[in-house]
Amino acid sequence: MDFKTEFKPLTVQPQEIEGKSFQMITEELGEHSFTDEQYPVVQRVIHASADFELGRSVLFHPDAVRAGVAAIRSGCKVIADVQMIQSGISKPRIEKFGGSVHVHISDPDVIEEAKRLNTTRAIVATRKAVKLAEGGIFAIGNAPTALLELIRLVKNGEAKPALIVGMPVGFVSAAESKEELAKLDLPFITNVGRKGGSPVTVAAINAISLMAEQQG
Amino acid sequence: MDFKTEFKPLTVQPQEIEGKSFQMITEELGEHSFTDEQYPVVQRVIHASADFELGRSVLFHPDAVRAGVAAIRSGCKVIADVQMIQSGISKPRIEKFGGSVHVHISDPDVIEEAKRLNTTRAIVATRKAVKLAEGGIFAIGNAPTALLELIRLVKNGEAKPALIVGMPVGFVSAAESKEELAKLDLPFITNVGRKGGSPVTVAAINAISLMAEQQG
C-alpha cells in the first residue's frame, strides 16, 4: 500500500491507548464498592461505553466472577443472544481452554420455530441453547425476551448456567428483565436500568476470560 | 423442542416492541431541532443506546442523510471499522441495491502491515478500504485512529467517501476525532463527546438503509 502522503508512525500504540484509558477510568471513577475481583469487569464496561453511570450500575452475584473464570477454564460454551456479541467476544482466550462461542438466533430451525409459535427468535434460540450448552455462560446484551426466557427456564430447573451476563439495552422489558435476573440465586452480572448492550456485555465476558488466562 | 413447562405466547411481538419503543423515545425526547430526514437516525441511535444525551449529541452534515440514502441506492460499499459493526448492519437492504458490507481489520495483509509500520491495524485497514471502496460509506464506531486516518486521507484528496458515520467511543482521541470529522465539508454523521460505539453506528447505517428501501 503506497500513499502520496508520508506515513507518520503514531506515538500512541494500541496497548498504550488501553493503558491510558484504564488509568483515566480509575481516576475519574474514584470511590466505589466493587471488589478487586469485580473491578476489572466494571473497568472494561466503562471502557466500552464511556459511561460511568452505566459502570456504577453494574450488579454482581457474589460468586459471579469466580464462577465465570472457573467455567471458562473448564472449557465451557459461551452463548450469545445476537451475532454482534459473538463477533465481539475475544475467542482465542476461550478456545485455548477448549471452549467455544455460539449464537443461535439466525439458525434456520430457530427462525422456523419462532414463526410457528408466533414469538421472538430470541426466546426460541434461548430454548435451543440451554439444551446444547448445559453449564455454559450466557451473554445476553440485546434481547430482554431471551433473558426473561432464560430466567424462566432456570426457575423451572430446566437450565443451570455457570454464569449469566445479562445486560440488554432498551425501552421495553430491558430494565425489568435485569431486575428479575438480580433476584436469582446463581452467578449473574447485570446492571440497573435501560442502558446496556452488546459492547458492555462483550466487555464483561472479555474481562472474565482475561482473568481466566491470567490465572493459568 | 419440547419443554416441561407450558409455552405461553407473548402478547408483545417483535414489531410491537419496536413500535412501542419508538413511541416512548419520541415522547421522552420532546422538543429537538433535528429535521424530519435526520430524526429517524436519532431515534434509532437512542433505541440502540437508551441514551437520550447521546441521541441529542448527534451532529449531521446538512447533506448527510440524502447522500447516504443515494449511495446505498446506487449499490455502494459499506466499510466497517470492526467486525461487530459488520455483524450488526442489516445486509439484505444494502445487498438488494447491489451493495455489500466489508471489514478489513483482521485481513492478514493488514495485520502484517500494521506490525511492520508499528501502528494500529485500524489505520492500515482504513488505508486499504479507501482504495477498495471509492465513494463508499464508512461506518466507524470503535477506533478513533481509523477515523483520524480517514479524515487525513480526505484532507489530502486521497479519499472521497459518500458518507462518513463516525461515532467511536472511548477515552483517548474519540471525542477529538469526532470534532475533526465535524469540521469536514462532506457528508458526515457524528456526535459530541466520548460516547458512541458499534450499536449506535450500526443504528445510523440501518436507519439510512431503511430510508433507501422506503424510497423504492
Side-chain angles (χ1 to χ4, degrees), chain B residues 81-207:
Chain B
D81 64 336
V82 292
Q83 185 61 50
M84 279 185 78
I85 291 184
Q86 201 218 17
S87 295
I89 292 175
S90 177
K91 284 156 207 85
R93 291 199 298 266
I94 288 166
E95 288 163 0
K96 75 183 269 195
F97 296 111
S100 47
V101 186
H102 304 267
V103 60
H104 296 297
I105 197 150
S106 296
D107 291 359
D109 61 331
V110 167
I111 296 172
E112 188 64 30
E113 183 82 347
K115 273 188 201 152
R116 199 178 66 75
L117 295 171
N118 190 29
T119 189
T120 72
R121 292 197 279 151
I123 288 179
V124 180
T126 303
R127 298 178 146 233
K128 180 173 179 176
V130 297
K131 295 200 162 186
L132 297 174
E134 226 189 303
I137 295 178
F138 281 73
I140 299 176
N142 194 272
T145 58
L147 184 53
L148 288 169
E149 180 66 5
L150 182 57
I151 293 166
R152 192 182 71 82
L153 294 169
V154 166
K155 284 182 177 170
N156 284 328
E158 297 173 66
K160 204 171 181 242
L163 168 67
I164 302 174
V165 178
M167 303 176 93
V169 60
F171 290 83
V172 176
S173 307
E176 295 82 349
S177 69
K178 292 182 278 191
E179 274 176 38
E180 290 304 311
L181 176 59
K183 291 177 193 162
L184 289 189
D185 184 26
L186 64 69
F188 63 76
I189 300 174
T190 187
N191 73 296
V192 178
R194 288 169 170 176
K195 288 179 182 176
S198 303
V200 295
T201 305
V202 165
I205 298 287
N206 286 347

Side-chain angles (χ1 to χ4, degrees), chain A residues 98-160:
Chain A
S100 47
V101 186
H102 304 266
V103 60
H104 295 297
I105 198 149
S106 296
D107 291 359
D109 60 333
V110 167
I111 295 172
E112 187 66 30
E113 184 81 348
K115 275 188 197 148
R116 198 179 66 76
L117 295 171
N118 190 30
T119 189
T120 71
R121 293 197 279 150
I123 287 179
V124 179
T126 303
R127 296 178 148 231
K128 180 173 179 176
V130 297
K131 295 200 163 186
L132 296 175
E134 228 187 303
I137 295 178
F138 281 73
I140 300 176
N142 193 273
T145 59
L147 184 53
L148 288 168
E149 179 67 3
L150 182 57
I151 292 166
R152 191 182 72 81
L153 293 169
V154 166
K155 284 182 177 169
N156 283 328
E158 296 173 66
K160 204 171 182 240

Side-chain angles (χ1 to χ4, degrees), chain A residues 9 12 17-18 45-46 58 75-76 86-87 109 116 119 122 127-128 139 160 170 182 193 197 208 213:
Chain A
V12 177
I17 295 173
E18 192 174 271
V45 163
I46 297 173
V58 177
C76 79
Q86 202 219 15
S87 295
D109 60 333
R116 198 179 66 76
T119 189
R127 296 178 148 231
K128 180 173 179 176
K160 204 171 182 240
I208 285 172
E213 191 176 52

Side-chain angles (χ1 to χ4, degrees), chain B residues 34 38 55-61 64 167 178 182 188-192:
Chain B
F34 297 110
Q38 291 164 354
R56 285 190 180 279
S57 79
V58 178
L59 294 179
F60 294 85
H61 181 278
M167 303 176 93
K178 292 182 278 191
F188 63 76
I189 300 174
T190 187
N191 73 296
V192 178

Side-chain angles (χ1 to χ4, degrees), chain A residues 45-68:
Chain A
V45 163
I46 297 173
H47 184 243
S49 61
D51 193 333
F52 287 90
E53 183 194 37
L54 201 168
R56 285 190 181 279
S57 80
V58 177
L59 295 178
F60 293 85
H61 182 278
D63 298 333
V65 176
R66 212 170 332 138

Side-chain angles (χ1 to χ4, degrees), chain A residues 75-90:
Chain A
C76 79
K77 289 184 178 167
V78 179
I79 306 293
D81 65 335
V82 292
Q83 186 60 51
M84 279 184 80
I85 291 183
Q86 202 219 15
S87 295
I89 292 174
S90 176

